[in-house]
Amino acid sequence: MSTNTRYVRIAGWGKALPRESVTNAALEGRVDTTDEWIRARTGIQERRIAGPGETTSTLATEAATAAMQRAGITAEDLDLVMVATCTPDYASMPSTASLVQDALHARRAGAFDLNAVCSGFVYALATASQFVLSGAYRNVLVIGAETFTRILDWQDRSTCVLFGDGAGAVVLQSTEQPGGLLSFVLGSDGSGACSLYVPAGGSREPTTAETVAERKHYVKMQGREVFRFATRIVPESVSQTLDRAGLVPGDIDLLIPHQANVRIIDAAVKRLGIDESKVFTNVQRYGNTSAASIPLALCEALDDGLIVPGDLIVMAGFGAGLSWATAAWRWQG
Ligand code: ACO
């Protein structure tokens, strides 16, 4: 019999979005594309684009502030700040988490970034939960934040129409109330690294005038390969995660998949055999916000009253790496 009396709960949540919203129609004037193409292939209708002064750390700080307020804690209560991002304020150092820790005045907190690209938030949630479940920490801030539009090539219509910026944050807290994280799966297949990557600017190909001229500091994607991978891995990892908790797809109250494309979500939902009404989507309004997409969706589902105590939520991320991460979470309220 389990003697565990320590669980992890989401005590607060918050989001932040850039002010500027750009519709597909507005993009038609910027690149060779159409509203019809974007809607039909992805479901996306508009996305937020960070303006001057808006960065990954400013969005993360705004989302974190809202999450702490809802949790009823102050920055002094925080033990750790984790930021899941692949678009940090600075390319290599310092971490975006350190900037957020400073902006919040979270003097007692450690801080680090975690990069698993679009799987990053679920990776961070599972990692942060271990600090709470082990008893090491009481209050951990987990943020998914991106300014993905800063690495987009506006001359590449196959990628630039897909992404947007934003941030979502949760405060994880230690509790005696059963529930919280039930099971998770973290996965990687690095053989697919070049399906979705930024070729230059790292140790393999440092930035030079040539790499910039060749536009190698922007994201490159083999869209069809990523599509095939995503439609296979989401149902697989959701089933595996549920299996680890002794659950089945029919037990899910709300599936929150990474918001990349409605066609990927629809295909995954069909394979899992779950009802469409149990799936949350907001990709239509924000595009693919990478590590921010799942916490943004979670915040909106909670704010819309779609999650009640006792509900089983499944969050499923996938993306560059290639990587994937799924977590089953029993909502305690
Ligand atoms: N507007 C108009 N036409 C376009 C556009 C555009 N924005 N982009 C591409 N096209 C054209 C192509 O040039 C091509 O034309 P052609 O047939 O004359 O050569 C045609 O549309 C079809 O292009 P495909 O790439 O084959 O289109 P596909 O049906 O595969 O859809 C898409 C493309 C939407 C990118 C799809 O492959 C996809 O969603 N893939 C997954 C992408 C994804 O989710 N990535 C994020 C993962 S998360 C992360 O880690 C960041």
Side-chain angles (χ1 to χ4, degrees), residues 33 37 41 118 157-158 196 221 223-224 258 260-261 288 319-320:
T33 191
W37 192 96
R41 303 282 172 139
C118 299
R157 68 176 181 173
S158 69
L196 183 49
M221 182 174 73
R224 282 189 185 177
H258 169 46
N261 181 320
N288 180 347

Side-chain angles (χ1 to χ4, degrees), residues 18-134:
R19 278 177 298 277
E20 190 191 5
S21 179
V22 177
T23 62
N24 294 345
L27 283 185
E28 287 179 3
R30 200 165 168 178
V31 285
D32 180 17
T33 191
T34 60
D35 174 45
E36 193 193 350
W37 192 96
I38 301 170
R39 276 181 200 246
R41 303 282 172 139
T42 72
I44 298 165
Q45 298 170 18
E46 57 186 313
R47 74 283 295 137
R48 299 295 180 96
I49 297 190
E54 288 176 322
T55 71
T56 298
S57 74
T58 66
L59 293 169
T61 302
E62 191 184 327
T65 303
M68 288 184 339
Q69 206 170 1
R70 193 177 279 269
I73 64 164
T74 68
E76 288 287 336
D77 298 319
L78 286 176
D79 299 302
L80 183 64
V81 176
M82 285 177 65
V83 177
T85 187
C86 69
T87 50
D89 278 31
Y90 295 101
S92 58
M93 65 185 91
S95 74
T96 300
S98 285
L99 304 178
V100 175
Q101 172 269 323
D102 179 55
L104 294 172
H105 307 295
R107 277 182 287 262
R108 288 198 314 107
F112 67 94
D113 288 358
L114 183 154
N115 183 0
V117 199
C118 299
S119 313
F121 179 76
V122 180
Y123 259 90
L125 191 70
T127 305
S129 293
Q130 306 313 309
F131 287 100
V132 176
L133 292 169
S134 70

Side-chain angles (χ1 to χ4, degrees), residues 28-314:
E28 287 179 3
R30 200 165 168 178
V31 285
D32 180 17
T33 191
T34 60
D35 174 45
E36 193 193 350
W37 192 96
I38 301 170
R39 276 181 200 246
R41 303 282 172 139
T42 72
I44 298 165
Q45 298 170 18
E46 57 186 313
R47 74 283 295 137
R48 299 295 180 96
I49 297 190
E54 288 176 322
T55 71
T56 298
S57 74
T58 66
L59 293 169
T61 302
E62 191 184 327
T65 303
M68 288 184 339
Q69 206 170 1
R70 193 177 279 269
I73 64 164
T74 68
E76 288 287 336
D77 298 319
L78 286 176
D79 299 302
L80 183 64
V81 176
M82 285 177 65
V83 177
T85 187
C86 69
T87 50
D89 278 31
Y90 295 101
S92 58
M93 65 185 91
S95 74
T96 300
S98 285
L99 304 178
V100 175
Q101 172 269 323
D102 179 55
L104 294 172
H105 307 295
R107 277 182 287 262
R108 288 198 314 107
F112 67 94
D113 288 358
L114 183 154
N115 183 0
V117 199
C118 299
S119 313
F121 179 76
V122 180
Y123 259 90
L125 191 70
T127 305
S129 293
Q130 306 313 309
F131 287 100
V132 176
L133 292 169
S134 70
Y137 289 145
R138 285 195 61 78
N139 289 296
V140 179
L141 189 57
V142 183
I143 308 166
E146 304 277 14
T147 42
F148 209 95
T149 63
R150 299 256 157 86
I151 58 166
L152 290 179
D153 184 348
W154 291 98
Q155 292 180 13
D156 176 8
R157 68 176 181 173
S158 69
T159 53
C160 71
V161 302
L162 304 176
F163 298 93
D165 304 327
V170 295
V171 172
L172 295 188
Q173 221 167 48
S174 175
T175 179
E176 289 182 3
Q177 198 183 347
L181 183 65
L182 304 179
S183 59
F184 59 90
V185 164
L186 307 180
S188 172
D189 175 9
S191 70
C194 295
S195 301
L196 183 49
Y197 76 133
V198 176
S203 62
R204 195 167 287 220
E205 198 170 357
T207 309
T208 61
E210 286 74 33
T211 64
V212 173
E214 290 166 21
R215 310 181 80 74
K216 287 178 159 181
H217 53 303
Y218 293 128
V219 74
K220 313 281 175 217
M221 182 174 73
Q222 304 296 325
R224 282 189 185 177
E225 277 176 33
V226 178
F227 190 91
R228 268 196 300 273
F229 155 72
T231 49
R232 175 179 61 81
I233 207 66
V234 175
E236 250 177 53
S237 71
V238 168
S239 298
Q240 221 181 341
T241 304
L242 289 169
D243 199 45
R244 286 183 185 180
L247 297 162
V248 294
D251 294 322
I252 297 175
D253 292 298
L254 194 67
L255 176 66
I256 304 182
H258 169 46
Q259 306 287 309
N261 181 320
V262 286
R263 288 195 298 144
I264 292 173
I265 296 173
D266 288 348
V269 165
K270 210 167 162 191
R271 276 202 205 177
L272 285 165
I274 61 176
D275 197 275
E276 269 176 33
S277 64
K278 299 198 166 177
V279 184
F280 190 86
T281 62
N282 61 7
V283 65
Q284 299 86 346
R285 282 178 286 133
Y286 305 131
N288 180 347
T289 57
S290 187
S293 96
I294 289 178
L296 270 175
L298 176 66
C299 285
E300 295 200 338
L302 285 162
D303 290 341
D304 291 351
L306 299 178
I307 297 171
V308 296
D311 275 359
L312 175 67
I313 311 161
V314 174

